[in-house]
Amino acid sequence: MSSLHGLPEARARFVRGWFTENPTYVQLLGMCPTLAVTSTLPAAVTMAVATGVVLLCSNIITSLISRQLQPHLRILVYTLTIATFVTIVDRLLAAFAPAMSRQLGPYVPLIIVNCIIISRAEACASRQNLGTAVADALGQSGGFLLGLSSLGIVRELLGSGSLWGLPVLPENYPGMLIFVLPAGAFLTLGSLSGALNAIRMREKGTQ
Amino acid sequence: MFNPILSFLRQSWLVLGLASGLSAALAGVDFALRDRIAGNSQQRLETAVLDVVPDGASSTPVTIAGVTMYRVTDDSAAVCGWATPADGRGFQDRIRLMVGLSKDGSHVTGLTVLESNETPGLGDRIQQPQFRDQFVGQSTEHPFARVKPGESAPAPVDAITGATISSQAVITAVNSQIALIRQELAAQLDPSAESQP
Amino acid sequence: MLDLLLIGLSAALINNFVLSYFMGICPFLGVSRRLDSAFGMGAAVTFVMTISGGLTFLLQQYALIPLGLQILQYVAFIFVIAGTVQFVELYVQRFFEPLYRAFGVYLPMITTNCAVLGVCLLVWSKSYNTLAQALTFSFFGGVGFTLAIVIMAGLRESIDFADVPAPFRGTPIALFVAAILSMAFAGFAGMGSQ
């Protein structure tokens, strides 16, 4: 009964997370990793996947137990759950991808304070059933992956002329250093979200 | 009917159960991965040490005059060189290096960058062999000096164009580390070397 | 002493928390619309950063490392920060009523401010090994945060009167301004070296 009832809701949430409620471009959540680790595509994708795993685990636990708890206990349980899963993801990265773990540095533990996770726990997982919470986590992670990798692609391509470490632009392309630097992160995100706004406005105008 | 005591008990057990579950998960991960993670950073250091001393096969950490060093031995377990970590302030942040020295500490056998956060494309070119290899084979008798094209010095190093400060930071770090240990190294291996300048 | 000065300089200007580490970006883009509220936020964050930076340093140095419990580092840090925020809120409310009215509203938001957890983690990853170094780094990190957020608020007050193309109004133009600020702060690099 509840699964039949929950199915369209879950699907809608999954799709919304990728596009209409995209965490990066629409909700402007999780800006810290969005700007900090997107100077190359592999780092951006690893970060998005790590955040997605934590979000999924946190949504599952929240959806299973938070209705049993009073509000003041909830926030304690969220924090404990998120910090634990972040530690596990961080240790796994350090053990199996040490170079990537060094490159991401403090930004992996900073997933703990990523607004996406706590806001999804409050806004969705604590009120919905398990299936919907999982779909929501997957949708939001997908949207975050989309946001981070779009920045990663632009910055790596323009900054170093390569994609995923493989050179794609002609060898004499000098590389626009600014895109690898912190300033380039702000510049790229500003341009991309401005461009998206422009597209959205034009669509609205033609309708 | 809503029973406050029952609800309170259920909540406490739920929080306790969850906390123990999560702690067990953490303990499990720590137990399973601790050695592997320690091994990873150990291996990275070892690779850097063997990278800066040619013919090195294995290394042991030792402390000489309060400085951490790595004694590098070759296939036949004879000492073939030394490696020592050096660090200095770069353009952005700390730069950590590994310097390789010959058996008697008389010349540099290699230099590698362990950690740096210099500007991509400019300062981070200190990691490229074109810059690092300038140190290799030079005598440690005189401190290294940054030179412009056409200038000369006893131990010249060309700075990277556009990254004078990063280059100078590497030179300073190498010089001060060598100054710390050169005397002790020479003395330890050959007492007669002490009298030489 | 020179050492501490360099640490402070580096935390506030050369590697500014907001403009170079991107920590505390959410309040930087969200809150900073008015100068006085930006300053209040900055002061609150600096306060909490200094206290939790010092506390987590002591915790790590004298409890977690000797006991071999580094695995609990992140869990312990976030609870220290949450506790500090609660404590500071109560204390300030009780004893410094005017101060509480000035920046009390920002206090609950600080627990999830990246800059606070960030400073605790960076103290550790930059291997500072005395309490003085950790406190200096944390305090000047907060000063850097305040500086960035106040400058940004000042600029945004003027941007509100500028004729920005419609799609770029709001966040995109704020990000462009941040990019220019970040380039300006890049000029401080190299100040710490000989």
Side-chain angles (χ1 to χ4, degrees):
Chain A
M1 172 66 199
S2 77
S3 70
L4 271 178
H5 178 72
L7 203 58
E9 169 74 4
R11 191 182 298 146
R13 283 201 178 257
F14 179 74
V15 176
R16 258 187 273 159
W18 284 79
F19 304 106
T20 45
E21 277 180 20
N22 187 294
T24 307
Y25 290 111
V26 183
Q27 301 183 69
L28 299 167
L29 291 177
M31 285 290 115
C32 167
T34 306
L35 294 163
V37 300
T38 49
S39 60
T40 61
L41 187 55
V45 171
T46 313
M47 189 67 199
V49 171
T51 312
V53 170
V54 177
L55 178 58
L56 184 63
C57 297
S58 131
N59 260 13
I60 289 175
I61 294 214
T62 309
S63 154
L64 285 178
I65 66 153
S66 80
R67 259 160 299 172
Q68 320 274 343
L69 294 175
Q70 283 173 1
H72 75 277
L73 278 177
R74 269 186 212 166
I75 196 82
L76 178 86
V77 167
Y78 292 159
T79 315
L80 186 65
T81 315
I82 296 170
T84 307
F85 285 116
V86 168
T87 310
I88 293 174
V89 166
D90 178 71
R91 298 288 86 186
L92 284 172
L93 271 178
F96 297 105
M100 183 52 80
S101 169
R102 254 200 326 282
Q103 193 187 339
L104 294 179
Y107 296 102
V108 178
L110 280 175
I111 295 175
I112 298 175
V113 287
N114 192 318
C115 329
I116 297 178
I117 296 173
I118 203 92
S119 86
R120 286 338 283 176
E122 268 297 324
C124 169
S126 64
R127 292 165 201 179
Q128 304 287 344
N129 61 10
L130 185 60
T132 312
V134 168
D136 184 68
L138 291 177
Q140 294 289 328
S141 314
F144 195 51
L145 178 67
L146 219 56
L148 255 65
S149 41
S150 60
L151 267 128
I153 289 171
V154 171
R155 289 182 68 193
E156 191 178 342
L157 191 66
L158 295 179
S160 12
S162 60
L163 272 186
W164 204 274
L166 300 171
V168 285
L169 292 183
E171 199 156 295
N172 55 8
Y173 177 75
M176 288 194 262
L177 279 182
I178 181 98
F179 282 98
V180 187
L181 298 178
F186 290 115
L187 217 54
T188 313
L189 185 61
S191 316
L192 287 180
S193 63
L196 274 180
N197 284 345
I199 293 171
R200 244 181 275 153
M201 282 175 179
R202 179 172 296 178
E203 272 175 359
K204 241 180 227 162
T206 52
Q207 268 167 15
Chain B
M1 267 308 287
F2 181 74
N3 183 336
I5 299 179
L6 210 64
S7 149
F8 174 76
L9 278 179
R10 205 180 50 217
Q11 291 194 21
S12 340
W13 281 111
L14 206 59
V15 172
L16 266 181
L18 189 76
S20 8
L22 293 176
S23 321
L26 276 184
V29 166
D30 192 32
F31 180 74
L33 300 179
R34 179 179 280 221
D35 292 341
R36 202 189 159 97
I37 293 169
N40 278 341
S41 54
Q42 190 65 37
Q43 198 193 357
R44 180 157 176 271
L45 214 56
E46 176 96 9
T47 313
V49 167
L50 297 184
D51 194 38
V52 294
V53 180
D55 309 325
S58 71
S59 71
T60 11
V62 287
T63 306
I64 295 175
V67 183
T68 308
M69 311 239 337
Y70 297 88
R71 186 198 294 119
V72 185
T73 49
D74 61 12
D75 291 326
S76 57
V79 175
C80 64
W82 302 83
T84 178
D87 74 60
R89 280 200 67 85
F91 190 59
Q92 280 287 340
D93 215 330
R94 207 160 75 130
I95 299 179
R96 289 184 62 224
L97 308 162
M98 184 66 81
V99 187
L101 295 172
S102 59
K103 195 164 57 174
D104 53 359
S106 68
H107 59 270
V108 175
T109 57
L111 176 70
T112 185
V113 180
L114 287 175
E115 196 184 308
S116 93
N117 193 17
E118 300 303 282
T119 320
L122 295 170
D124 79 343
R125 276 155 58 201
I126 56 171
Q127 303 191 16
Q128 292 181 348
Q130 290 93 305
F131 178 72
R132 290 186 289 125
D133 287 351
Q134 297 184 79
F135 292 85
V136 177
Q138 296 227 49
S139 160
T140 56
E141 201 173 333
H142 303 283
F144 292 102
R146 176 165 54 84
V147 292
K148 299 192 177 98
E151 281 180 356
S152 71
V157 172
D158 282 330
I160 297 163
T161 313
T164 315
I165 294 179
S166 303
S167 314
Q168 183 60 50
V170 172
I171 294 170
T172 312
V174 171
N175 282 343
S176 57
Q177 192 68 15
I178 288 176
L180 266 182
I181 56 167
R182 203 177 94 86
Q183 291 292 320
E184 273 75 13
L185 210 54
Q188 207 195 33
L189 282 160
D190 178 10
S192 70
E194 226 179 302
S195 56
Q196 286 171 12
Chain C
M1 202 53 222
L2 186 69
D3 180 39
L4 291 183
L5 193 71
L6 278 178
I7 290 175
L9 200 67
S10 161
L13 298 177
I14 303 173
N15 292 310
N16 184 281
F17 265 72
V18 178
L19 297 168
S20 143
Y21 288 136
F22 309 105
M23 289 170 184
I25 283 285
C26 296
F28 177 71
L29 294 175
V31 175
S32 56
R33 283 221 166 257
R34 285 178 45 224
L35 264 179
D36 53 346
S37 68
F39 189 77
M41 180 76 180
V45 169
T46 308
F47 198 50
V48 174
M49 269 170 88
T50 315
I51 294 181
S52 40
L55 280 180
T56 50
F57 173 80
L58 293 175
L59 182 75
Q60 177 88 356
Q61 191 88 324
Y62 297 106
L64 297 183
I65 293 180
L67 296 173
L69 287 176
Q70 281 103 318
I71 188 84
L72 290 180
Q73 188 187 4
Y74 306 151
V75 179
F77 278 21
I78 192 72
F79 278 105
V80 166
I81 291 167
T84 310
V85 172
Q86 291 277 317
F87 176 76
V88 166
E89 197 179 354
L90 282 178
Y91 185 77
V92 172
Q93 191 176 12
R94 178 85 177 72
F95 297 105
F96 301 96
E97 187 63 37
L99 201 64
Y100 183 76
R101 257 174 290 150
F103 71 75
V105 284
Y106 306 109
L107 279 171
M109 288 195 264
I110 290 174
T111 312
T112 52
N113 186 326
C114 313
V116 181
L117 182 60
V119 83
C120 303
L121 294 164
L122 283 174
V123 162
W124 177 236
S125 74
K126 283 174 180 280
S127 41
Y128 292 138
N129 43 24
T130 66
L131 183 60
Q133 288 180 332
L135 285 176
T136 311
F137 180 74
S138 315
F139 175 73
F140 281 98
V143 170
F145 174 83
T146 311
L147 197 63
I149 199 172
V150 166
I151 293 177
M152 189 67 187
L155 289 171
R156 282 189 88 165
E157 280 183 347
S158 328
I159 291 174
D160 285 345
F161 297 108
D163 184 22
V164 178
F168 286 89
R169 270 176 211 154
T171 313
I173 190 70
L175 286 165
F176 287 141
V177 172
I180 295 167
L181 270 182
S182 169
M183 278 189 250
F185 271 70
F188 290 115
M191 251 167 72
S193 40
Q194 301 84 347

